[in-house]
Amino acid sequence: MKTSAEKKKTSTAKKKPIRLLIADDHSVVREGLVSLVKRKSDIAVVAEAGNGREAVELWRRTSPTSLCSIAHA
């Protein structure tokens, strides 16, 4: 019989990481987000975009599962 820790380890080992595209026109914001996300083993930053057009192109090329985009007023 598996312990709860062993069950958790087995279930997380089978999951694919979230493939994240980060888009923001401020490089400092992008760099900060990338730095934070890299600490998570279940998330992989697959691309960074500096504007909307670049984000669309990178989305098509990298097929991320999620997008993090911040709109500044």
Side-chain angles (χ1 to χ4, degrees), residues 35-68:
S35 176
L36 289 171
V37 170
K38 282 187 176 180
R39 297 177 185 179
K40 303 294 289 174
S41 62
D42 57 342
I43 304 173
V45 177
V46 295
E48 299 175 50
N51 60 52
R53 286 189 175 136
E54 186 178 10
V56 170
E57 177 59 32
L58 288 170
W59 183 279
R60 289 177 179 148
R61 288 192 305 185
T62 62
S63 301
T65 54
S66 296
L67 167 71
C68 177

Side-chain angles (χ1 to χ4, degrees), residues 2-15:
K2 292 184 179 181
T3 66
S4 61
E6 290 172 325
K7 288 178 185 176
K8 185 176 181 180
K9 185 177 179 182
T10 302
S11 66
T12 56
K14 294 179 183 178
K15 291 183 182 178

Side-chain angles (χ1 to χ4, degrees), residues 19-52:
R19 296 173 44 81
L20 182 65
L21 185 152
I22 295 177
D24 194 282
D25 60 339
H26 293 90
S27 62
V28 172
V29 173
R30 283 194 319 272
E31 291 168 9
L33 287 170
V34 169
S35 176
L36 289 171
V37 170
K38 282 187 176 180
R39 297 177 185 179
K40 303 294 289 174
S41 62
D42 57 342
I43 304 173
V45 177
V46 295
E48 299 175 50
N51 60 52

